[in-house]
Amino acid sequence: SQQGEEDPQALSIQEGENATMNCSYKTSINNLQWYRQNSGRGLVHLILIRSNEREKHSGRLRVTLDTSKKSSSLLITASRAADTASYFCATEGEGGSEKLVFGKGTKLTVNP
Amino acid sequence: KAGVTQTPRYLIKTRGQQVTLSCSPISGHRSVSWYQQTPGQGLQFLFEYFSETQRNKGNFPGRFSGRQFSNSRSEMNVSTLELGDSALYLCASSWGPKLAGSYEQYFGPGTRLTVT
């Protein structure tokens, strides 16, 4: 069953613009992770934010986490055509399991 | 350091057949998880192995099984294939287990299975 729900489902922007994707989840989490997937390929880990963190940066990526609202956002600044991909949030529940529960993803298209 | 490798990359099978997919984790990683990705259901967790033991299982029928070897390599098997089993099967490895903190999962390129 899906835990995270990304919003929007699809996003089309111009190169240089910022892209914001949101993720909402249902249950308590240990951490939340964002992944990128280029068409039909494996997932690339972007960033992990723990439940006791509120914001995290990595290069052009900025992730926020609001556990009271059970939501997270991924901001990609100064987007490039190479950022075109699907972006997924995945939540890791409390406890020792490695299981990740993924949302259905946001398909981002960055037009040159 | 080499990444997660999955073999084969593409596979075409007929309904009723069985298939075995292989995953070699990153050197030193001891935990392997499997996921199924389809356009309709998205990414769904299949199972997780650590030290040759299945630690967690997703909501899939018994036709889906897996195992992990002493070198941490893992295989998953699907018996009596159905058309709906057509999917991208992804394997992920991590250092595991998460006794303290969390470990990022590193995904392989996937095996694209087509059932005709």
Side-chain angles (χ1 to χ4, degrees):
Chain A
S1 60
Q2 243 63 36
Q3 155 85 302
E5 293 287 337
E6 286 91 342
D7 166 53
Q9 290 187 341
L11 180 61
S12 182
I13 59 174
Q14 297 299 124
E15 248 185 344
E17 294 181 339
N18 295 341
T20 300
M21 288 158 269
N22 302 297
C23 168
S24 60
Y25 58 92
K26 298 173 186 172
T27 62
S28 296
I29 61 172
N30 190 32
N31 66 65
L32 185 145
Q33 304 177 33
W34 285 90
Y35 287 83
R36 183 187 74 226
Q37 183 179 38
N38 291 87
S39 181
R41 299 186 182 178
L43 279 78
V44 175
H45 183 273
L46 295 175
I47 199 162
L48 178 154
I49 185 165
R50 293 184 168 78
S51 60
N52 62 352
E53 296 175 313
R54 292 296 165 257
E55 188 171 312
K56 205 160 183 180
H57 297 255
S58 177
R60 294 184 295 114
L61 306 180
R62 173 179 169 254
V63 168
T64 62
L65 179 65
D66 187 335
T67 53
S68 66
K69 295 181 180 177
K70 291 187 168 57
S71 67
S72 174
S73 68
L74 170 67
L75 168 69
I76 304 174
T77 59
S79 64
R80 305 166 182 166
D83 294 329
T84 294
S86 290
Y87 291 82
F88 296 88
C89 70
T91 54
E92 190 178 287
E94 293 171 330
S97 172
E98 298 281 337
K99 174 182 176 180
L100 288 176
V101 182
F102 284 85
K104 291 214 167 185
T106 292
K107 188 173 174 63
L108 173 67
T109 302
V110 182
N111 302 299
Chain B
K1 195 190 274 193
V4 177
T5 57
Q6 292 187 245
T7 56
R9 293 292 311 279
Y10 303 92
L11 205 48
I12 299 175
K13 289 284 189 180
T14 306
R15 267 183 305 175
Q17 289 186 312
Q18 76 164 27
V19 67
T20 299
L21 312 181
S22 179
C23 171
S24 293
I26 291 172
S27 178
H29 284 193
R30 298 167 65 192
S31 176
V32 173
S33 299
W34 288 89
Y35 296 84
Q36 181 198 64
Q37 186 178 28
T38 59
Q41 298 299 315
L43 277 151
Q44 293 190 291
F45 173 80
L46 279 158
F47 16 68
E48 170 208 340
Y49 289 89
F50 176 77
S51 289
E52 303 176 64
T53 301
Q54 186 180 89
R55 281 161 38 93
N56 208 345
K57 190 178 193 305
N59 189 24
F60 278 82
R63 299 184 298 107
F64 291 81
S65 62
R67 59 177 175 168
Q68 186 180 34
F69 302 94
S70 58
N71 62 358
S72 295
R73 190 177 71 83
S74 177
E75 288 182 347
M76 68 162 280
N77 184 277
V78 187
S79 62
T80 319
L81 284 165
E82 300 177 0
L83 295 178
D85 297 333
S86 294
L88 181 66
Y89 289 88
L90 294 162
C91 159
S93 78
S94 65
W95 196 88
K98 296 191 313 303
L99 298 177
S102 304
Y103 297 102
E104 298 162 7
Q105 293 195 22
Y106 294 84
F107 282 79
T111 294
R112 172 76 62 186
L113 172 65
T114 302
V115 182
T116 62

